[in-house]
């Protein structure tokens, strides 16, 4: 039994943590919130080869396993790095899983060398889940709108869900082409930029099948679970550090069980989520049939941990945590970005139970 | 990442699996009616003897102690295979898992030679005499005293929550030998003969109706100084050895406790006033939550096993196990009973899944306390894993007899 990341993935994680500890974190998030430009950081990330991690060598990449994408997502989440890396990794998974050789050759080299920023989008502003798309494709053009789409303002390529003649599936849309309008939308997350895409007969290249769309959702959920784990861990670490230094009633507040048990609960939720996320990472790399349930469980458990850590981090900080100048708000707000990014716990819990029912029916 | 055995573990698993198939066949299913006390003891001893003869006891113990000298992975592989059968092992779990490792780590050589082999062979049953009426979570607050008298010690006091004391031949007991020392310093551990004069074990009836544990009274019980474990005054350190073994021994979900699959099976049979239970979103959310807790603990244990398999010390993740398992059992059982409305409350003629969940609801209230309460376990996670400061302990450095008086 070897239920842990490979040495290669661990080495990449260490490299990413070291770099992002130095170059990112809440301070950098604040400068971006205040209008600063994070493009230089993205250039450094490209130079480190992270967007190329999963791209096959034949397409100009490094050809690492999906574990590499998982650890990069976790470290990006931990550091709140204001770069479009996770979107790029999710789009890369879509191309790797569903793309034809021609589609891969067209887009992956640019993603690997940073000349193309790719994003993914399913939401259409309303209460629908990732299973539903009102955007329509007929012939080879798409009509409709997608919002919010993270990191789209700087992007060249979008992998979007839409409904065509075969059902709801993914399409590749060149954001620099005609019929595409990208306008900023304000969200609760003041660091990660989001946009609305308006598609008026924009050229849309089908990527895979309707079933393939759901296979991709599983993989995107695994990456988002690792991102959530990273962000939640940073929120827990912040809460624990404060509980060790803040004094009230003559002692460190971390001595009070009302505070320390909250911290213990953060750890408990995080460890449960980490087990599921690792299981999902294994299933993703192995192409195991358990991926559907493992990815859903990882997504639900990690969102549960993130919401708890982000909310209770503010609570442990008390009044100072509620101020604009406190870093607590970054985790509290990012929690909502991660929920909105790929569907809520309700959607993924339902998907988990449905996959358990299907497994039971198949076993019967 | 992979979930397969190493070639060495796979060979051991195949061997264990074949041996179990040949020797545990009658335990494929749970007993139709629960065993009587005598039958339970007889079967437990017979099973321990059979394993001993085949070399499946003391798997991780040193060969010099009659063990097999193998790795923790071998022991875990055997336990995994054994758990496919409903074999009676609980009579020996505490003795072999906790007491005897303490004996051979801290005992004097002739005492070790006398006691270890018969325990391993299933001839003698052991219990652990730690908790007292006034010392549960605060274990170092025990009051049972031992006073030196010639070459002997004389023990007076009371222990409680002692699992299997009424079935045991020997026990390890923590006593206070110096009441004027601070509470962690004045303790000493001994081996005590449970059949000796002055020892009386009285089974306690639990809230669930079962009787697994006892209160045990000690009145002028004489123990030879040769039966001391560790130095005089080192009882707390010795007890920590025992508890370290306890942490390795317990933690997972009790085998055969109902899980998310039981909840799914039950929900499939229920019609609510708004339609089939399995079609209700809240029911499905609760099933997902149960799956995440149940499977999350299994996956957490696999992470610890992976570390063991590589010869590393498992990380702190293992510490979350019992605190999650016990409360999940309670919540899941309560939800299942809610789903059954008034039917969930009636035990006469309850469907077997519902009956198991009713049993789990009663048992989980005890599990949340046994072997470290939810609160103590959260303290341990917060203090040892996250590094938060310990609770204020005003009596920690006071002479024990001064703090008790206060």
């Amino acid at each position: 039994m070897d239920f842990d990341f490979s040495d290669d993935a661990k080495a990449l994680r260490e490299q990413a943590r070291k770099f992002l500890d130095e170059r990112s974190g809440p301070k950098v998030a604040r400068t971006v919130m205040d209008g600063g430009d994070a493009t230089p950081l993205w250039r450094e990330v490209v130079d480190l080869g992270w967007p190329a991690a999963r791209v096959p060598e034949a397409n100009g990449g490094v050809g690492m396993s999906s574990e590499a994408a998982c650890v990069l997502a976790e470290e990006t989440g931990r550091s709140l790095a204001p770069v479009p890396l996770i979107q790029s990794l999710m789009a890369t998974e879509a191309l790797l899983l569903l793309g034809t050789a021609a589609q891969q050759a067209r887009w992956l080299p640019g993603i690997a060398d940073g000349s193309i920023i790719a994003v993914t989008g399913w939401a259409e502003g309303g209460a629908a889940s990732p299973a539903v798309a009102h955007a329509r494709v007929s012939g080879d053009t798409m009509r409709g709108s997608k919002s919010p789409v993270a990191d789209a303002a700087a992007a060249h390529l979008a992998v979007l869900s839409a409904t065509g003649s075969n059902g709801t599936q993914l399409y590749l849309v060149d954001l620099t082409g005609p019929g595409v309008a990208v306008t900023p939308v304000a969200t609760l997350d003041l660091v990660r930029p989001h946009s609305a895409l308006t598609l008026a007969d924009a050229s849309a290249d089908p990527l895979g099948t309707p079933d393939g769309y759901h296979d991709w959702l599983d993989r995107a959920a695994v990456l988002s679970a690792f991102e959530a784990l990273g962000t939640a861990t940073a929120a827990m670490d912040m809460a624990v550090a404060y509980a060790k230094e803040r004094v009230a009633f003559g002692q460190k507040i971390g001595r009070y069980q009302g505070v320390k048990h909250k911290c213990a609960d953060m750890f408990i939720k995080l460890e449960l989520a980490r087990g599921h996320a690792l299981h999902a990472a294994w299933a993703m790399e192995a192409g195991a049939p358990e991926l559907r349930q493992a990815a859903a469980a990882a997504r639900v458990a990690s969102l549960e941990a993130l919401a708890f850590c982000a909310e209770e981090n503010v609570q442990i900080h008390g009044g100072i945590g509620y101020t604009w100048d406190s870093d607590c708000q970054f985790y509290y707000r990012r929690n909502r970005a991660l929920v909105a990014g790929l569907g809520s716990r309700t959607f993924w819990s339902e998907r988990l139970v449905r996959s358990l029912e299907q497994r039971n029916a198949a076993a019967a | 990442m992979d979930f397969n055995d190493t070639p060495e573990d796979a060979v051991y698993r195949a061997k264990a699996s074949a041996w179990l198939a040949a020797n545990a066949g009658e335990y494929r299913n749970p007993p139709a009616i629960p065993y009587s006390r005598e039958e339970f003891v007889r079967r437990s001893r017979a099973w321990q003897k059979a394993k001993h003869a085949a070399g499946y006891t003391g798997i991780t113990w040193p060969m010099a102690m009659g063990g097999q000298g193998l790795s923790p992975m071998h022991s875990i592989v055997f336990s995994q295979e054994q758990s496919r059968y409903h074999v009676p092992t609980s009579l020996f779990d505490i003795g072999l898992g906790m007491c005897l490792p303490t004996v051979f780590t801290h005992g004097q050589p002739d005492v070790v030679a006398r006691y270890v082999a018969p325990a391993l062979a299933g001839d003698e049953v052991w219990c652990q005499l730690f908790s007292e009426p006034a010392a549960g979570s605060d274990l170092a607050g025990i009051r049972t005293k031992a006073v030196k008298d010639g070459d002997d010690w004389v023990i007076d006091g009371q222990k409680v929550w002692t699992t299997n004391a009424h079935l045991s031949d020997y026990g390890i007991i923590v006593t206070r030998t110096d009441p004027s020392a601070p509470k962690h310093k004045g303790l000493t551990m001994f081996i005590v003969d449970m059949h000796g004069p002055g020892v009386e074990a009285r089974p306690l009836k639990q809230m669930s109706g079962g009787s697994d544990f006892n209160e045990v009274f000690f009145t002028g019980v004489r123990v030879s100084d040769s039966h001391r474990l560790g130095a005089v005054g080192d009882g707390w350190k010795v007890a920590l050895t025992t508890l370290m073994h306890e942490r390795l021994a317990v933690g997972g979900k009790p085998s055969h406790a109902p899980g998310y699959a039981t909840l799914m099976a039950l929900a499939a049979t229920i019609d609510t006033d708004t339609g089939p239970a399995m079609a209700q979103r809240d029911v499905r959310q609760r099933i997902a939550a149960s799956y995440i807790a149940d499977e999350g603990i299994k996956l957490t244990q696999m992470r610890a096993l992976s570390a063991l398999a590589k010869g590393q010390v498992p990380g702190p993740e293992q510490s979350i196990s019992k605190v999650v398992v016990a409360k999940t059992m309670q919540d899941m059982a309560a939800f299942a009973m809610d789903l059954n409305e008034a039917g969930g409350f009636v035990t006469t003629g309850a469907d077997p899944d519902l009956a198991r969940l009713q049993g789990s609801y009663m048992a989980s209230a005890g599990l949340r306390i046994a072997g470290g309460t939810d609160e103590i376990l959260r303290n341990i996670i917060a203090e040892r894993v996250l590094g938060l400061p310990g609770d204020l302990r005003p009596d920690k450095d006071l002479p024990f007899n001064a703090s008790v008086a206060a």
Side-chain angles (χ1 to χ4, degrees), chain A residues 1 3 255 257 260 265 350, chain B residues 4 284 378 383 390-391:
Chain A
M1 162 137 9
F3 184 38
R255 273 196 202 279
Q257 293 191 354
K260 72 165 50 153
D265 283 334
E350 170 58 32
Chain B
N4 299 323
R284 299 172 73 81
R378 282 191 168 83
E383 293 170 20
D391 281 10

Side-chain angles (χ1 to χ4, degrees), chain A residues 181-202:
Chain A
V182 182
T183 49
V185 288
T187 68
L188 290 173
D189 189 323
L190 305 179
V191 176
R192 179 169 287 172
H194 288 77
S195 300
L197 307 186
T198 309
L199 305 143
D201 295 326

Side-chain angles (χ1 to χ4, degrees), chain A residues 232 269 273 298-310 335 345, chain B residues 292:
Chain A
K269 286 177 193 292
R299 169 91 181 148
V300 176
S302 64
L303 288 181
E304 175 82 22
L306 175 56
F308 186 81
C309 293
N335 166 38
R345 275 180 269 175
Chain B
I292 284 168

Side-chain angles (χ1 to χ4, degrees), chain B residues 59 135 164 170 198 200 218 226 296 309 375 390 404:
Chain B
I59 293 172
N164 292 336
Y170 296 94
E200 188 193 356
F218 294 86
S226 66
E375 291 72 21
V404 169

